[in-house]
Every structure is written in C-alpha cells, then in structure tokens.
Amino acid sequence: MTDWLQRTELLIGADGLNNLKRANVLVVGMGGVGSFAAEFLCRAGIGQMTIVDGDRVDPSNKNRQIVALNSTVDIHKADVMAARMHDINPDMQLTVIKEFLTPDLMMELVTTKFDWVLDCIDSLQPKLYFLGAAATNGVKVASSMGAGGRVDPQKVRIAPIFETDCCRFAYKIRKGLRRKGFANANIIAVYSEELVNRESLQLTDGSNFKRSYYGTISYLPALFGLNLASVVIRDIIK
C-alpha cells in the first residue's frame, strides 16, 4: 500500500483498493464536469484511465473548470488534466486523446475493455452517439445531464436515465435514445431537479454541435462530476 492511499484503504479495505487499482475507466469531456470526475477517480486510486477532449482552455472556463488557470489558457484541456493526474498518481496508466470524437471513433473506443465509461459531453447529438455506442457495445455508462442554469446543490440526483425528471436536457436525451432504438438502455444519469433559469441562456453560432448554453456557477459542474465518480467507485469496490 502506498502512503497516499492509506486513508482510502482504511475506508474501503485492501480488496476494494485493489479493485480500484485494476479498474479501467474512460472519461470523455474535460470541462466543468469531466475534469472533476477524472480527478476524483484518480485520487481514489483508479489504475487505468483514458481521457478525451479536443478543446483548449479558454479564459471563460475559469469560473468552473479545474483545468482552467491563467497559466493554462490555450493549452489542450486533456494535457492539463493528464499533468495533474500524473502529479497525483505517477503509477496510473493514462491514455490521452486530444480530439473530438466522431460517431465511428466512438464505436471503436467505447468497448468492454473499460469497466465504466463517463459521458461528460455537453452537446446533444455527440452525447446521443456516445450513449448509443455504449448501449450497443454493452458497456457500463454514467452520463451527466445539464448543470448550467442552476444553483441548488441539494437538487442534484442520480437515477437511470429513463427515471429522470424536471430536466429538459434529460428529456431530449430520453427522446433521442428511444428514436435510435435504445429505449431499454441501462444508463445512469446525474441530473438536477431544479428548474433551469432560462434568463441565463446564451445563443451561439452553432459550431461544434452547440447552439446555446446556460450560465454556470462554480460548484454545480464539480458536484455533477463528484456524483459521476461516486457511481463508478461505489460499483467497483462493492
């Protein structure tokens, strides 16, 4: 046992810790949700991880993303995250993919070599392709719904995607999954029952499949990431 994981082993035991060390997890999206999810997994002792993000740090990311600092602006988010995690656990086997995933690449990447895959994509169509790939290939998947436009941490919930409520983004995901033939897909969702603040909506030029976004507060995306990580960790150690 390495000293830095001593307190983790005290809580979950040697078997639980060894299960984490043997686990292999994929996290797609290193933004406000995914960056925190990846770090919480790393700090728990996950032995193998693949992180994916084709974006670079923008100054507007600093209000909510763990990768975003003045010193990291315009650097690939995946590179910043990889450096952080190697600084936490140099023994972790880490694969870094610095590109936006196409549907074909998702089908190739999302396989049962991973114990879990985490969907931290914030655009609807790429998210549906990713969840469809996980469902097709029989991979355990947990997915983040929208954290934007909300401020209440007590409204965040974990549930199967088809049992979610009050989240318009989750409704669109459910509708899209049914349309693609995945009405029985076993997908765990992290979502909020707080009604979104529609006055915080901002329209975009539609690039990268993103037509709009909501304002965000610092802690809500991190809480979504924490819950995603907890789904994976609690399943692996049991």
Side-chain angles (χ1 to χ4, degrees):
M1 179 184 68
T2 55
D3 289 340
W4 74 278
L5 286 169
Q6 180 182 11
R7 295 193 181 194
T8 305
E9 183 170 346
L10 283 172
L11 180 63
I12 66 175
D15 288 344
L17 187 59
N18 287 331
N19 287 345
L20 292 174
K21 289 180 178 179
R22 288 192 294 265
N24 189 7
V25 179
L26 168 67
V27 184
V28 178
M30 290 292 107
V33 175
S35 59
F36 281 94
E39 178 148 329
F40 290 134
L41 290 169
C42 176
R43 290 185 183 276
I46 291 289
Q48 299 178 71
M49 196 185 307
T50 297
I51 59 173
V52 183
D53 198 306
D55 203 6
R56 295 174 181 267
V57 176
D58 183 85
S60 66
N61 302 149
K62 289 195 296 178
N63 80 316
R64 69 197 182 283
Q65 297 184 15
I66 203 169
V67 296
L69 306 166
N70 284 334
S71 60
T72 61
V73 169
D74 207 34
I75 299 175
H76 274 288
K77 294 179 182 179
D79 283 337
V80 178
M81 204 64 227
R84 284 185 64 89
M85 291 195 290
H86 275 146
D87 208 12
I88 296 165
N89 182 10
D91 296 326
M92 186 172 68
Q93 298 177 37
L94 183 62
T95 300
V96 179
I97 301 176
K98 294 182 288 185
E99 59 183 289
F100 294 104
L101 296 182
T102 63
D104 288 342
L105 186 53
M106 289 180 190
M107 286 298 295
E108 293 177 12
L109 179 63
V110 182
T111 69
T112 52
K113 75 177 182 181
F114 295 109
D115 298 285
W116 274 90
V117 298
L118 293 187
D119 157 38
C120 306
I121 302 167
D122 57 6
S123 300
L124 181 63
Q125 288 305 319
K127 198 176 196 74
L128 285 171
Y129 283 124
F130 183 84
L131 295 175
T136 298
N137 295 335
V139 185
K140 289 183 178 180
V141 57
S143 176
S144 172
M145 300 296 108
R150 299 170 171 91
V151 296
D152 188 350
Q154 297 185 78
K155 297 289 187 179
V156 178
R157 303 286 186 266
I158 301 172
I161 184 65
F162 291 105
E163 296 178 17
T164 56
D165 193 18
C166 302
C167 176
R168 180 71 179 173
F169 191 58
Y171 165 78
K172 292 179 179 179
I173 294 295
R174 295 195 306 270
K175 184 177 179 181
L177 289 170
R178 290 190 182 101
R179 189 171 59 246
K180 291 177 179 292
F182 299 114
N184 296 317
N186 184 18
I187 298 167
I188 301 299
V190 175
Y191 69 105
S192 175
E193 292 183 339
E194 179 183 3
L195 297 180
V196 71
N197 177 1
R198 295 189 178 278
E199 294 183 359
S200 70
L201 180 68
Q202 177 72 51
L203 300 179
T204 74
D205 60 6
S207 60
N208 291 328
F209 298 96
K210 197 171 183 66
R211 293 181 294 180
S212 64
Y213 59 87
Y214 286 99
T216 49
I217 196 67
S218 58
Y219 51 84
L220 245 295
L223 182 56
F224 273 56
L226 180 155
N227 277 280
L228 286 175
S230 80
V231 169
V232 173
I233 293 166
R234 288 183 288 122
D235 180 71
I236 289 172
I237 66 175
K238 70 180 182 183

